[in-house]
Amino acid sequence: MNAIIRGKPDNLDAIGERFDRARLQRPVFLNSVPKAGTHLIRNILRMFVAPDQHWRREYIQHALLSRSLGAFSLDKPMISWGHMLFSDESAVALRDTRHIVLVRDPYDWVLARARFYLSDEFQGNLNHIKDGGASVEDVIMMMILGAHGRVPDLKDIYAMNAVAWMGSSAVIVRYEDIVENLKDLGSKRAEAFFRQLLADCGLDLPTDWRDRVEAGADRRESRTASENLKVTAEVPAVLSDIHKRVVDFHAPGLRALLGYD
């Protein structure tokens, strides 16, 4: 699917200048299920990694893999991000890279995806569903079951962007765990969580880690945060019972496999 994401750039490069950021010894790739909170984990970790080691060219996807191999070079380690589905080519490319895979509860993911597709910021092959072109209930069904010939279904996205990586050396991180620890940054639990996240990236936890996390997690700096989207229709805050049952029918066992039960 070809799409354009509109929105103003963030100010995090300037904000990050106040921190003395560490250098990576191995490349790091922040992979994610699309609409699982990619900007959040990316922006937080940008506050910990030297700016000249940020892969700025693009979000890396399978279709762009051949021109993005420099992001995974051992000779010039970088931190990069994107949505990389599992394949023989991606497994080879990421063999020596520290690999984080961000997932989100499929129930909430359906709604986040619907808001994005219904927003002015998204420009793609489903523009005709905006502004009441299709009912919100039908749009939610498209987010679960896909839109024929236009966008893939939930099961396919999760299978190839998350589940397939679970049997590899990739580290699975849940979006909800990041959010919960952001709400409780003063706790030992949050300290342990972010210490482990940084360790999985090959980094130590600096003494000012809370300031860095708060700076990177500022929702005003995320152009895809829900409050920063101009959504053309009202999407419910919680998935309906019938839509939950459709998710469970379409992808049985998925939520339990990812730790949502």
Side-chain angles (χ1 to χ4, degrees):
M1 179 195 65
N2 294 321
I4 297 173
I5 302 174
R6 301 190 302 190
K8 66 178 182 178
D10 61 54
N11 299 305
L12 290 175
D13 285 340
I15 291 171
E17 290 178 358
R18 71 175 190 255
F19 302 118
D20 183 16
R21 288 171 282 181
R23 300 199 64 79
L24 297 173
Q25 300 305 308
R26 280 176 56 191
V28 175
F29 181 54
L30 306 177
N31 199 357
S32 65
V33 173
K35 303 316 302 168
T38 315
H39 280 74
L40 177 61
I41 192 170
R42 178 198 72 161
N43 290 347
I44 289 173
L45 288 171
R46 284 167 64 190
M47 299 297 101
F48 293 87
V49 176
D52 65 310
Q53 290 187 306
H54 297 181
W55 181 261
R56 304 179 186 277
R57 184 182 301 174
E58 60 211 351
Y59 267 67
I60 301 176
Q61 302 180 59
H62 196 272
L64 308 176
L65 180 56
S66 62
R67 75 183 196 194
S68 302
L69 293 176
F72 313 125
S73 169
L74 289 173
D75 295 331
K76 190 178 179 181
M78 306 289 285
I79 185 169
S80 58
W81 36 79
H83 311 306
M84 182 66 70
L85 57 81
F86 180 83
S87 74
D88 52 336
E89 295 98 334
S90 56
V92 170
L94 294 172
R95 182 191 61 190
D96 299 318
T97 296
R98 294 182 182 272
H99 187 186
I100 308 295
V101 178
L102 183 67
V103 301
R104 188 171 186 170
D105 187 335
Y107 288 168
D108 294 329
W109 176 86
V110 167
L111 297 174
R113 191 186 190 200
R115 290 187 195 97
F116 183 62
Y117 272 80
L118 289 171
S119 72
D120 287 341
E121 284 71 17
F122 172 81
Q123 296 295 312
N125 57 2
L126 280 182
N127 285 343
H128 55 292
I129 70 174
K130 299 180 183 180
D131 295 305
S135 72
V136 170
E137 292 77 14
D138 286 343
V139 172
I140 290 173
M141 289 297 290
M142 294 175 206
M143 301 300 103
I144 301 170
L145 299 176
H148 181 66
R150 295 183 183 275
V151 293
D153 62 274
L154 176 153
K155 183 178 180 180
D156 188 43
I157 290 174
Y158 271 82
M160 300 310 295
N161 286 275
V163 173
W165 291 114
M166 294 181 75
S168 73
S169 61
V171 176
I172 305 298
V173 176
R174 300 193 309 178
Y175 168 79
E176 292 80 5
D177 292 335
I178 297 178
V179 171
E180 285 302 309
N181 283 288
L182 282 173
K183 295 176 181 177
D184 193 23
L185 273 184
S187 69
K188 291 294 185 182
R189 181 189 70 168
E191 182 175 351
F193 175 82
F194 285 105
R195 184 186 301 278
Q196 185 60 55
L197 177 61
L198 289 168
D200 289 332
C201 296
L203 299 169
D204 295 326
L205 187 77
T207 56
D208 60 351
W209 68 270
R210 291 184 176 88
D211 292 337
R212 297 171 186 247
V213 170
E214 285 183 333
D218 188 339
R219 293 178 66 85
R220 293 171 296 182
E221 299 298 335
S222 174
R223 61 180 178 175
T224 59
S226 57
E227 64 269 29
N228 297 332
L229 296 176
K230 297 182 179 67
V231 183
T232 63
E234 186 172 350
V235 177
V238 178
L239 198 64
S240 71
D241 287 341
I242 183 60
H243 286 127
K244 288 179 180 178
R245 292 199 293 272
V246 173
V247 170
D248 295 339
F249 164 81
H250 180 60
L254 175 61
R255 294 185 71 248
L257 180 62
L258 296 174
Y260 302 102
D261 202 359

